[in-house]
Amino acid sequence: MSERFFLYDDTVDTKTRFISFMGDNQRFDLAIVKSDRYYGKHLVLDIQSNRFAIIGSDDLDEPGYLEHAYNLSEEDAEELRSFLYEIV
């Protein structure tokens, strides 16, 4: 077996916020990870659906981004989007 080739192997300090809120149709349980790693964007993990995305304000403005990343309806994505605008 050949030696493993790493593209990178870094350890960084992060700040993680766990938050849960109820939308009109569903509950959101999120872990929001902030680090210097993603050019100021946040790693947003949806614990209920086992989905995640790297999100910045530019991504929130992209039509269909949250719907695709988290497999959400337009209505549910809009609730998540309005919350994420407050923190990113």
Side-chain angles (χ1 to χ4, degrees), residues 11-77:
T11 302
V12 297
D13 291 326
T14 65
K15 185 173 184 178
T16 305
R17 178 180 178 185
F18 294 94
I19 188 156
S20 178
F21 67 93
M22 191 66 201
D24 288 338
N25 300 316
Q26 77 172 52
R27 174 179 164 168
F28 292 93
D29 291 302
L30 306 173
I32 302 161
V33 180
K34 184 177 182 180
S35 76
D36 296 332
R37 188 71 175 168
Y38 302 109
Y39 307 102
K41 295 187 177 191
H42 296 75
L43 178 61
V44 180
L45 299 95
D46 183 343
I47 298 167
Q48 291 285 337
S49 70
N50 294 320
R51 292 177 169 263
F52 66 92
I54 299 168
I55 298 178
S57 58
D58 58 328
D59 301 305
L60 295 176
D61 294 333
E62 187 70 32
Y65 185 79
L66 294 181
E67 289 86 341
H68 175 73
Y70 296 103
N71 194 29
L72 296 172
S73 68
E74 286 184 35
E75 182 180 353
D76 292 338

